[in-house]
Amino acid sequence: MSESTEGNGEGTRAVRAGLPEPVRNEPTLPGPAFAAHFHLPGEVGGPYTYGRDENPTWTLLERAIGELEAPGRDGLQTLVFASGMAAISSVLFSQLRAGDTVVLPNDGYQVLPLVRAQLEAYGIEVRTAPTGGDAQLEVLDGAKLLWIESPSNPGLDVCDIRRLVEAAHARGALVAVDNTLATPLGQRPLELGADFSVASGTKQLTGHGDVLLGYVTGRDGEAMTAVRRWRKIVGAIPGPMEAWLAHRSIATLQLRVDRQNATALVLAEALKRRPDVTGLRYPGLPDDPSHKVASQQMRRYGCVVSFTLPSRERAERFLDALRLVDDATSFGGVRSTAERRGRWGGDAVPDGFVRFSVGAEDPEDLVADVLRALDESAH
C-alpha cells in the first residue's frame, strides 16, 4: 500500500488515493485486471480466487474511496458495485428481513418508490417522511434501518445527520446516508456517525458521464459482511475497466468539485435576480432554507441547482435554447446538464421544475448562456 495520505490536503489525497507502492518500471496506477479466474493451486487461499468475488482493480479503487470517505480511520471497508442502485440495494436487502421496518425519505431519488414496492413484497414495513425539518424522526420508533438522503435529489433539502443518527442509534437502528450529491469532499457521513455511506459513483465522484458505478463504505463487522455476501450472491459487480476509469477520475475530484461548486453558487445568485424563476434551491445560498444545517455538516454544497419555471412549455423552451448545456439526466459531470425533472414521473415536483447540474465550463460563459436561454424562452 502507498504511504498514508491522512495528513495531506484534499487535493493531494484525491491525487494519491489508493495508489500501490511504487514498483520500478511499472505504472503508478496499474491497468485494469481482466480476469475471471486466478491461478489457485492446492487449497483455496489468498485475496484473489474468482472474478465475482474480488479483483485487484477493485481493491485499489475501494482503498481510494475509503481514504476519501474516512481519512485516517481504521476498521472500515469499502465495496464497489456495478451501479449506485446496486449499492443501495445491497444495504437495504442485506440488512432487512420480513417483519423489519425501514424509514426512507419520501423526497429522495425517484427509483426509491420501486425499491419500496419490492421491500413491501418481502414483508418489510416501509415508512416515509420528508428530508427537511428532520421529519424522519417522527416515524423512527421500531425501525431497523434509517435511510437518509441529504441533500435530497432533486429538491435539495437537508437534514441534521448527527441528530438523526443519534436518535436512530438510541432506538437500536442502523443508519445509511446516500452521499451521492455531496461526494466525500462535501460531506463525510461516517464522521457524522452513520453506519454506511452509500453513493452512485456514476455522478460527480467520477465526473465524466462515462462510468456506471456504486459503492458502500461502512464499519467492519457483521453489517458489512452481509453487504459483501449480497454482492457475491447477486453478482452486482463493476467491470475492471469501469473500476480503473473511476480510480483514474478520482485524481481530479477536488479540482472538479471546487470549480463546479463555485460556479453553482454564481449561477444560483444570478437566478435569484430573475422574476420568472421561482422555488430556487441551492444549499450554498445564505438565504436557502437548508443553508444553516448544511453549513454545520457540509464542507461543499454540491453542483446541483434546482428551480421552477412558470410552465412545462416554458421549461422545455428554456432547455432547447441552451447552447452549453445538454438536456440529459444524471448530474455531476464536467459538462453541464439540465432537465425538466417531471418528465420521468416519480418526483413530486411542478411541471416546470428544472434540475440543473453545473459543469466545469467558465462561469461567465455558463451564466450568460442560461440568462440568454431564459430571455429567449420567455417569448
Side-chain angles (χ1 to χ4, degrees):
M1 179 176 176
S2 62
E3 69 276 9
S4 172
T5 60
E6 175 186 353
N8 294 318
E10 290 178 325
T12 303
R13 190 178 300 122
V15 167
R16 301 202 60 80
L19 295 182
E21 288 285 356
V23 177
R24 183 180 177 87
N25 302 129
E26 293 293 328
T28 54
L29 178 61
F34 297 104
H37 57 265
F38 302 84
H39 287 295
L40 195 65
E43 295 298 321
V44 174
Y48 305 111
T49 58
Y50 186 61
R52 190 185 65 246
D53 299 333
E54 293 290 351
N55 179 288
T57 310
W58 304 353
T59 299
L60 297 179
L61 174 60
E62 290 169 344
R63 185 183 301 161
I65 293 172
E67 289 176 12
L68 297 179
E69 280 282 353
R73 294 186 62 178
D74 297 324
L76 301 173
Q77 58 176 300
T78 297
L79 299 172
V80 291
F81 291 81
S83 68
M85 279 309 304
I88 289 169
S89 299
S90 76
V91 174
L92 291 170
F93 292 105
S94 70
Q95 305 304 312
L96 297 168
R97 302 287 184 273
D100 288 341
T101 297
V102 61
V103 175
L104 302 178
N106 65 10
D107 55 350
Y109 182 46
Q110 56 109 3
V111 180
L112 287 182
L114 297 178
V115 174
R116 174 178 186 165
Q118 192 62 58
L119 289 166
E120 290 175 338
Y122 288 157
I124 296 164
E125 180 186 353
V126 180
R127 302 175 190 161
T128 63
T131 298
D134 299 342
Q136 289 175 297
L137 286 173
E138 299 173 9
V139 294
L140 194 54
D141 285 351
K144 173 74 176 299
L145 176 67
L146 168 63
W147 190 274
I148 294 171
E149 188 176 303
S150 180
S152 61
N153 171 31
L156 303 182
D157 268 327
V158 169
C159 62
D160 186 335
I161 295 175
R162 288 187 187 88
R163 182 185 181 203
L164 266 68
V165 166
E166 290 174 2
H169 286 172
R171 292 165 171 81
L174 295 169
V175 180
V177 177
D178 187 327
N179 205 35
T180 302
L181 200 146
T183 82
L185 297 194
Q187 181 172 267
R188 295 179 188 152
L190 297 176
E191 292 184 356
L192 298 172
D195 300 288
F196 306 98
S197 182
V198 187
S200 168
T202 308
K203 311 300 194 296
Q204 197 171 20
L205 184 82
T206 57
H208 291 77
D210 54 8
V211 171
L212 285 173
L213 191 86
Y215 70 85
V216 179
T217 300
R219 295 179 177 83
D220 285 334
E222 292 183 9
M224 283 301 290
T225 297
V227 173
R228 182 182 293 274
R229 185 186 307 116
W230 181 264
R231 183 178 71 173
K232 178 183 177 71
I233 293 170
V234 176
I237 58 172
M241 190 66 193
E242 286 79 4
W244 183 86
L245 285 169
H247 197 170
R248 183 256 355 226
S249 299
I250 285 175
T252 61
L253 179 61
Q254 189 250 4
L255 298 172
R256 291 184 281 106
V257 163
D258 280 352
R259 175 61 171 263
Q260 291 169 263
N261 282 221
T263 304
L265 180 58
V266 171
L267 177 62
E269 290 170 340
L271 291 170
K272 279 179 62 177
R273 298 189 286 271
R274 297 286 307 204
D276 48 353
V277 169
T278 60
L280 175 66
R281 295 300 303 271
Y282 182 65
L285 284 171
D287 57 351
D288 186 271
S290 294
H291 182 72
K292 181 178 179 181
V293 174
S295 297
Q296 295 169 353
Q297 62 193 24
M298 300 184 73
R299 304 189 309 285
R300 295 172 177 85
Y301 299 105
C303 65
V304 177
V305 178
S306 66
F307 56 93
T308 301
L309 294 175
S311 67
R312 168 179 177 166
E313 293 74 21
R314 173 69 189 285
E316 290 175 345
R317 290 198 304 271
F318 164 71
L319 294 167
D320 188 58
L322 291 165
R323 296 170 183 164
L324 299 179
V325 183
D326 296 328
D327 189 342
T329 195
S330 197
F331 58 84
V334 291
R335 289 173 290 280
S336 291
T337 61
E339 68 173 336
R340 191 182 68 81
R341 191 62 186 165
R343 64 182 177 174
W344 294 98
D347 290 316
V349 295
D351 284 342
F353 180 94
V354 174
R355 185 181 71 181
F356 196 109
S357 172
V358 175
E361 300 87 359
D362 288 317
E364 57 271 21
D365 293 337
L366 185 63
V367 171
D369 188 44
V370 169
L371 297 180
R372 179 197 50 74
L374 286 171
D375 290 339
E376 289 184 7
S377 64
H379 306 292

